[in-house]
Amino acid sequence: MGRNNVTIKDIAQKTGFSKSTVSRALCYDAHVSPDTRKKILECAKSLDFQPNYFAKGLKTQCSKTIAFFVPNIEIMIYPAIIQAMEVETRERGYTILLCDIQEDKEIAKEYVKKLKGRNVDGFIFSTALLNVEENEEILEVVRDGIPCVNLLRTDGVSATSVRLDNAKGSAMGVEYLLSKGKRRIAFLQGQEYLKLYKDRYEGYVNTLLKHGIKIDPDLIWYGYRGSERVATKIIPEKIKSGIDVDALFCASDNIAVDAIHALNEMGIKVPQDISVIGYDNVPISELFIPKLTSIGQPFKEMGKKAVDVLIDMIEGKKANTIEDYVFDPILMVRDTVC
Amino acid sequence: MGRNNVTIKDIAQKTGFSKSTVSRALCYDAHVSPDTRKKILECAKSLDFQPNYFAKGLKTQCSKTIAFFVPNIEIMIYPAIIQAMEVETRERGYTILLCDIQEDKEIAKEYVKKLKGRNVDGFIFSTALLNVEENEEILEVVRDGIPCVNLLRTDGVSATSVRLDNAKGSAMGVEYLLSKGKRRIAFLQGQEYLKLYKDRYEGYVNTLLKHGIKIDPDLIWYGYRGSERVATKIIPEKIKSGIDVDALFCASDNIAVDAIHALNEMGIKVPQDISVIGYDNVPISELFIPKLTSIGQPFKEMGKKAVDVLIDMIEGKKANTIEDYVFDPILMVRDTVC
DNA sequence: CTGAAAGCGCTTACAG
DNA sequence: CTGAAAGCGCTTACAG
């Protein structure tokens, strides 16, 4: 039986140096002769020495751990992000702790408390709601002066953001639909408590106005009521009411999938009768039949960026000020627009 | 600025007791009077005391942390499992560390080394390959006597398993197809290096034999070659070669999705011309059009079970012996079989 | 039931 | 460049 219990004391005895010198050699402290260092490193290697995490943490008060708060890991955008974050975190010598808060602020607050007790070095949140005051878990971390980044979901003010240019994505989608001759483009809005949907909506409005098309209130629909998915109910109602529509701009792929199911039910063909465009480019958009045209986010790069910015802040390479890192959306042309 | 730096020393000073007594009171040690305990707990609460994780770990050598190794978090079965595991882990007072090894044994071994240095209390692996000798990361943990569970992917011998009765799932699928009058059921095999696919294949074979149907080698196809998805290539080849087939039993939903795309391309209707059944019941099977008939796994219960068994082992409530916890599959009848 | 003291395995001023 | 010593914040035998 045996975890590895080699300590610096063992190395000190084997090499004849003091624990102090061994510690300095292993931490690449400058004040140790090359010869001494070499002997100590060799000995450490031969004994398969692993420094005791707790002892180190107790002295330094650094855990080399960061936390990532996701609203719900079953949301299909997160796995790719998590993977990219994990690779980057590992390469920079840290460990990432995944916290699924299940859209519940109480769980988030509980986690923050627990993790502060573990001296987590920094936090990445993807849990910010539109109203800052509701983001208690983030505000608490910021108040404590612990480095912190908002990824994707942000309120724009509590901390540094790493996010998509959501309005631009809507502009790209609407421009594309216009280029295909669509003029009656309904907008299916997402959860209203998220800023990114506000931005997507504004992008839709401004792009139409820019092209001299008036906003028709009859074409502003909702894919969600609160956190409930309602597109499959709303769409038949709207269409049966006789509203003229030739395209659906959905604020998320979830809504687009619901929309296509609803249209299918009604015998309306996508894209021949009505074009549909989604947002986020989740993995299923490529597997879906017909393959879903969507506005993509560079998830992997954004995840990597969030980790890099955070660790730079932790290590003092970046000031702990509030920045806004904005990424460009990508139009994924597939089969639901014609 | 300030993380919470309240220590037992502060509580000792405020209450007038010694650090020893404070520690005993907080740890619910028996030998402390109710009155003393009450005062100490109140004081701790008023100061929002959080015990220092490192100091505690340094003494106890327990981290209250377990690790979960996933082959690749982008595989769509994992988010639901992770969520269930996380809830259970949290409720039992532990933290879970997610390790995405990206199907790379080197990353797995690196992680094990790192996590042993962090005194992780136990491991849950979903990374076991069919051949035990290849599961070095698991064997190392077992050799060290650290509690360990194999979830879903198991080799059946290295450690306790929490898994599906994969053969039974195949039996259910094949029985269902037979009940619908199908007699030419092709089997599309998954990654051959995973035991669960071996079991699924055997379930298919045995069920046909049980019904007096001979196994036709012409109907044993492959959805994967190594780790490469080849169903979209294989299926047209097989069908164009004139093999008579009325149903595809796919060893995973991934394969089923590929299969339906391939059949679509060829103008073959599902389920009217050929029925298709998948395995795993991943989230997209319900979103897909047509909705995919599949063999489901009780992922949430299995995740919870793996955590419970592991923590019981860690806490000495269960012996560290090799057990086999087997869960029943569920036939999800949807729209791809008629 | 309570306290003084040792010790877990590191790091880091302080000397030399 | 190297060593002796203190200390991080807990827990836990050992006394009383």
Side-chain angles (χ1 to χ4, degrees), chain B residues 23-34:
Chain B
S23 173
R24 288 196 195 94
L26 293 169
C27 292
Y28 293 92
D29 184 303
H31 305 286
V32 57
S33 80

Side-chain angles (χ1 to χ4, degrees), chain B residues 206-245:
Chain B
N206 292 334
T207 308
L208 288 180
L209 292 178
K210 188 179 135 199
H211 284 268
I213 299 172
K214 274 208 312 203
I215 306 306
D216 182 348
D218 278 354
L219 290 176
I220 309 304
W221 305 354
Y222 284 84
Y224 282 80
R225 177 150 22 245
S227 59
E228 189 199 354
R229 285 166 83 147
V230 296
T232 47
K233 221 170 11 185
I234 294 290
I235 290 171
E237 282 173 24
K238 293 289 184 184
I239 289 181
K240 281 177 190 151
S241 78
I243 296 174
D244 177 31
V245 58

Side-chain angles (χ1 to χ4, degrees), chain B residues 32-241:
Chain B
V32 57
S33 80
D35 214 50
T36 306
R37 160 156 303 136
K38 188 157 166 274
K39 279 186 198 141
I40 290 173
L41 290 181
E42 271 170 10
C43 179
K45 185 151 194 192
S46 75
L47 296 176
D48 195 25
F49 170 74
Q50 284 276 99
N52 183 291
Y53 176 69
F54 299 117
K56 201 160 189 160
L58 185 56
K59 276 306 282 187
T60 63
Q61 295 299 331
C62 294
S63 60
K64 287 281 187 176
T65 300
I66 64 178
F68 179 39
F69 281 50
V70 288
N72 179 343
I73 195 187
E74 297 191 87
I75 298 173
M76 294 192 215
I77 63 174
Y78 287 106
I81 297 174
I82 290 167
Q83 189 168 77
M85 291 173 78
E86 198 184 315
V87 170
E88 189 63 13
T89 304
R90 185 154 37 84
E91 281 177 0
R92 293 197 62 170
Y94 285 69
T95 301
I96 193 163
L97 219 47
L98 180 68
C99 307
D100 183 343
I101 69 150
Q102 296 178 80
E103 312 271 10
D104 181 342
K105 287 286 182 194
E106 289 311 310
I107 296 182
K109 280 156 65 183
E110 229 179 83
Y111 255 126
V112 164
K113 186 169 177 192
K114 179 174 180 177
L115 296 181
K116 285 206 299 180
R118 289 196 170 207
N119 286 273
V120 159
D121 298 329
F123 288 80
I124 298 176
F125 293 103
S126 193
T127 59
L129 305 183
L130 178 60
N131 291 325
V132 201
E133 312 93 63
E134 294 179 49
N135 300 323
E136 292 178 60
E137 79 279 20
I138 301 169
L139 295 171
E140 179 177 348
V141 167
V142 169
R143 193 183 321 120
D144 286 347
I146 303 172
C148 157
V149 168
N150 284 322
L151 177 61
L152 305 187
R153 294 188 179 187
T154 173
D155 51 34
V157 298
S158 61
T160 285
S161 302
V162 173
R163 65 177 181 92
L164 192 76
D165 188 336
N166 285 288
K168 186 170 182 179
S170 293
M172 290 166 69
V174 172
E175 299 272 7
Y176 178 62
L177 290 170
L178 291 174
S179 79
K180 293 291 185 176
K182 311 303 170 196
R183 285 299 175 274
R184 300 285 301 164
I185 305 170
F187 185 81
L188 275 140
Q189 178 61 311
Q191 295 101 302
E192 54 204 348
Y193 49 82
L194 298 181
K195 183 170 186 300
L196 64 95
Y197 289 116
K198 195 173 167 230
D199 294 346
R200 289 179 187 181
Y201 174 69
E202 288 172 1
Y204 160 87
V205 167
N206 292 334
T207 308
L208 288 180
L209 292 178
K210 188 179 135 199
H211 284 268
I213 299 172
K214 274 208 312 203
I215 306 306
D216 182 348
D218 278 354
L219 290 176
I220 309 304
W221 305 354
Y222 284 84
Y224 282 80
R225 177 150 22 245
S227 59
E228 189 199 354
R229 285 166 83 147
V230 296
T232 47
K233 221 170 11 185
I234 294 290
I235 290 171
E237 282 173 24
K238 293 289 184 184
I239 289 181
K240 281 177 190 151
S241 78

Side-chain angles (χ1 to χ4, degrees), chain A residues 8-296:
Chain A
I8 55 169
K9 198 174 155 194
D10 299 314
I11 299 178
Q13 279 166 352
K14 280 249 155 86
T15 57
F17 292 101
S18 70
K19 290 192 296 172
S20 317
T21 303
V22 171
S23 173
R24 287 197 197 94
L26 293 168
C27 291
Y28 293 90
D29 183 300
H31 305 286
V32 57
S33 81
D35 214 49
T36 306
R37 162 157 301 138
K38 189 157 166 274
K39 280 186 198 139
I40 290 173
L41 289 181
E42 270 170 12
C43 179
K45 188 153 195 190
S46 75
L47 295 176
D48 195 25
F49 170 74
Q50 284 276 98
N52 183 291
Y53 175 70
F54 298 117
K56 201 160 189 160
L58 185 55
K59 276 306 285 188
T60 63
Q61 295 300 331
C62 293
S63 60
K64 287 280 185 178
T65 300
I66 64 177
F68 179 39
F69 281 50
V70 289
N72 180 345
I73 195 188
E74 296 192 89
I75 299 173
M76 294 192 215
I77 63 173
Y78 287 107
I81 296 174
I82 290 167
Q83 189 168 76
M85 291 173 78
E86 198 184 316
V87 169
E88 189 64 12
T89 304
R90 185 153 38 82
E91 281 177 1
R92 293 198 61 170
Y94 285 70
T95 301
I96 192 162
L97 219 47
L98 180 69
C99 307
D100 183 344
I101 70 151
Q102 296 178 80
E103 312 271 10
D104 181 342
K105 287 285 182 193
E106 289 311 311
I107 296 182
K109 280 157 63 183
E110 230 179 82
Y111 255 125
V112 165
K113 186 168 179 193
K114 180 175 179 176
L115 296 181
K116 284 206 297 180
R118 290 196 169 207
N119 286 272
V120 160
D121 298 329
F123 288 79
I124 297 175
F125 293 103
S126 193
T127 58
L129 305 183
L130 177 60
N131 290 325
V132 201
E133 311 93 63
E134 294 180 49
N135 300 324
E136 293 178 60
E137 79 279 20
I138 300 169
L139 294 171
E140 180 178 348
V141 167
V142 169
R143 194 182 321 121
D144 286 348
I146 303 172
C148 157
V149 168
N150 283 323
L151 177 61
L152 305 187
R153 294 188 178 186
T154 174
D155 52 34
V157 298
S158 61
T160 285
S161 302
V162 173
R163 65 177 182 92
L164 192 76
D165 187 337
N166 285 289
K168 187 170 182 181
S170 293
M172 291 167 69
V174 171
E175 300 273 5
Y176 178 62
L177 290 169
L178 291 174
S179 78
K180 292 290 186 177
K182 311 302 169 195
R183 286 297 175 276
R184 300 285 302 164
I185 304 170
F187 185 81
L188 275 141
Q189 178 61 311
Q191 294 100 304
E192 55 204 346
Y193 48 82
L194 298 182
K195 182 168 186 303
L196 63 96
Y197 288 116
K198 196 174 167 228
D199 294 346
R200 289 178 187 182
Y201 174 68
E202 287 172 2
Y204 160 86
V205 168
N206 292 334
T207 308
L208 287 180
L209 292 178
K210 187 178 135 200
H211 284 268
I213 299 173
K214 273 208 311 200
I215 305 306
D216 181 348
D218 277 354
L219 291 177
I220 309 303
W221 305 355
Y222 284 82
Y224 281 80
R225 175 151 22 246
S227 58
E228 189 199 354
R229 286 166 82 147
V230 296
T232 48
K233 224 171 6 186
I234 294 291
I235 290 171
E237 283 174 21
K238 293 289 182 184
I239 289 181
K240 281 178 190 151
S241 79
I243 295 175
D244 177 30
V245 59
D246 55 17
L248 304 183
F249 187 102
C250 302
S252 74
D253 286 343
N254 279 348
I255 300 173
V257 165
D258 287 349
I260 294 173
H261 275 276
L263 295 173
N264 254 14
E265 286 284 313
M266 301 177 72
I268 296 172
K269 297 229 174 313
V270 177
Q272 297 86 335
D273 302 332
I274 292 185
S275 288
V276 174
I277 187 165
Y279 209 123
D280 288 337
N281 190 31
V282 296
I284 68 157
S285 48
E286 179 134 35
L287 301 173
F288 205 69
I289 300 177
K291 292 184 182 175
L292 189 61
T293 298
S294 185
I295 310 295

Side-chain angles (χ1 to χ4, degrees), chain B residues 321-333:
Chain B
T321 55
I322 295 183
E323 309 287 340
D324 190 21
Y325 299 95
V326 182
F327 284 72
D328 275 333
I330 311 138
L331 176 65
M332 305 299 296
V333 173

